[in-house]
Amino acid sequence: MIRVALLLGLVVGTSAMAVGCGEGEPAREVEVVIAPGMGAVEIGRQLKEEGLVRYPRLFALTARLKGWDGSLKSGRYRFSSDQSWSEILSAMSRGEVVTFPLTVPEGFTVREVAPRVASISGVTEDSVRQLAADTALARSLEVPGPTLEGYLFPETYRFAEGVEPEFALRTMVEGYRRYWTSRRRLLADSLGLSEVEVVTLASIVEKEARVAEERPVIAGVYLNRLEIGMLLQADPTVQYALGEPKERLLYADIERVADHPYNTYTHAGLPPGPIASPGEAALDAVLEPAEVPFLFFVARPDGSHVFTRTEREHINAKNRIRSER
């Protein structure tokens, strides 16, 4: 009994002390990768190699006596050399692994998001794109589809290295789902727009707008066109149909994808789904558009637009801008 008590006392005392600092040495950060299936003794040996633990078996015994030996999780961890064994074991039992930021900017397509997910998850970009194009996954995540295009909400997320790509995509979709408050659903209903129509139009607005204040105006122009049955003629939808960005869209480009359902120069109404992920501001612009008389707009060199009511005014605006250039 005395021997057990002494051992317990040693474990308690050792687990509470700083583990990797010599006297007078500054604390240092150490990154450690724990492989799946490693036991407490193996982990202790690895931590010893990193200068965080002096006695691997005593470290393993500490884990066992504290009930953590069966719950130590694999992954990449970052510890300080002045952390105690208890702090290290507690972090590993909770799986407090190193995470990396993954940012989805406003207006990004699945094609642009895929490399970022692939770099963290360790899979190919093609596999991420295929997953995002899975209509069954879109249905399971309760988005109006047809795929996950448009529903990977622009935000900065944090994921552990090796995260499952489906988990990353689901997390982004959850960000999108949080956008839809009851008030915003009422606004969509008042406009006579379905959820997919709101997101689809917002994705076009996101791609068109370079000046934040113009988003509600651009939304208002497109809604005016929809109301009178006029073609949207939105360049970003043709770019999406082409599958590649072009600095300047030509009539030949429009004709090349004339049969594509996302070509709003040749197909009436909104395309079948979003062309990119709109941010909160673009979505709000569609739900609360500016009440304007305009049906046309043309971009200035600085990215702002000239808005006009008639085709003649539109042509004049284009000619003015062309002469200014």
Side-chain angles (χ1 to χ4, degrees):
M1 290 295 293
I2 295 174
R3 186 176 178 182
V4 171
L6 287 172
L7 184 59
L8 284 170
L10 178 61
V11 167
V12 171
T14 308
S15 66
M17 70 180 184
V19 295
C21 293
E23 191 172 345
E25 290 181 5
R28 59 190 174 84
E29 274 200 344
V30 180
E31 204 163 276
V32 182
V33 178
I34 304 301
M38 288 181 70
V41 174
E42 291 175 287
I43 292 172
R45 287 175 183 151
Q46 183 161 340
L47 294 179
K48 182 180 180 180
E49 290 177 9
E50 302 292 347
L52 294 173
V53 165
R54 290 198 184 101
Y55 310 106
R57 291 192 175 278
L58 192 56
F59 176 85
L61 181 60
T62 302
R64 182 179 178 186
L65 291 174
K66 289 180 174 289
W68 284 328
D69 56 328
S71 63
L72 302 181
K73 297 174 176 62
S74 61
R76 184 182 297 272
Y77 292 88
R78 189 175 291 129
F79 298 120
S80 173
S81 58
D82 61 357
Q83 281 185 270
S84 69
W85 290 5
S86 289
E87 289 171 329
I88 291 174
L89 287 165
S90 177
M92 293 180 68
S93 70
R94 293 196 297 270
E96 294 176 357
V97 297
V98 175
T99 59
F100 300 89
L102 190 160
T103 299
V104 178
E106 289 85 352
F108 256 39
T109 62
V110 163
R111 181 179 290 274
E112 293 169 304
V113 175
R116 301 188 177 204
V117 175
S119 68
I120 288 182
S121 62
V123 301
T124 64
E125 293 177 26
D126 280 344
S127 64
V128 177
R129 285 198 293 266
Q130 288 170 11
L131 191 61
D134 185 351
T135 55
L137 179 59
R139 286 195 300 272
S140 74
L141 294 177
E142 299 181 350
V143 295
T147 67
L148 295 188
E149 186 74 271
Y151 306 102
L152 306 179
F153 200 67
E155 197 174 303
T156 296
Y157 304 88
R158 296 198 69 90
F159 296 111
E161 186 178 38
V163 63
E164 288 292 329
E166 184 172 327
F167 176 81
L169 296 179
R170 284 178 178 273
T171 302
M172 295 171 191
V173 172
E174 286 169 9
Y176 162 78
R177 300 305 313 170
R178 286 194 295 272
Y179 169 81
W180 282 101
T181 61
S182 57
R183 175 182 174 275
R184 284 170 170 148
R185 292 205 177 277
L186 287 172
L187 287 171
D189 290 342
S190 69
L191 291 169
L193 295 175
S194 67
E195 182 180 335
V196 68
E197 288 172 332
V198 171
V199 183
T200 300
L201 182 51
S203 70
I204 298 172
V205 171
E206 188 71 79
K207 286 292 193 178
E208 290 278 22
R210 292 292 177 269
V211 178
E213 293 76 15
E214 291 185 353
R215 288 192 186 103
V217 181
I218 293 172
V221 171
Y222 282 130
L223 287 169
N224 287 345
R225 287 191 168 199
L226 287 171
E227 188 175 355
I228 64 174
M230 182 178 173
L231 288 171
L232 292 184
Q233 296 184 324
D235 288 2
T237 65
V238 179
Q239 299 269 21
Y240 187 77
L242 289 168
E244 56 184 356
K246 290 180 71 70
E247 190 172 332
R248 188 179 176 190
L249 200 64
L250 304 174
Y251 286 114
D253 298 320
I254 296 171
E255 291 172 4
R256 183 150 61 95
V257 289
D259 294 332
H260 199 288
Y262 281 76
N263 187 337
T264 57
Y265 276 83
T266 54
H267 291 75
L270 288 163
I275 60 171
S277 290
E280 183 175 332
L283 288 161
D284 284 347
V286 171
L287 292 176
E288 299 185 82
E291 292 185 14
V292 292
F294 308 126
L295 287 174
F296 302 90
F297 59 91
V298 60
R300 297 186 180 98
D302 64 359
S304 64
H305 292 88
V306 176
F307 297 91
T308 51
R309 292 171 296 179
T310 67
E311 189 169 6
R312 171 48 57 192
E313 290 176 349
H314 178 58
I315 292 170
N316 290 340
K318 286 202 296 185
N319 289 336
R320 279 199 311 274
I321 290 170
R322 194 175 292 121
S323 65
E324 288 170 6
R325 283 175 176 165

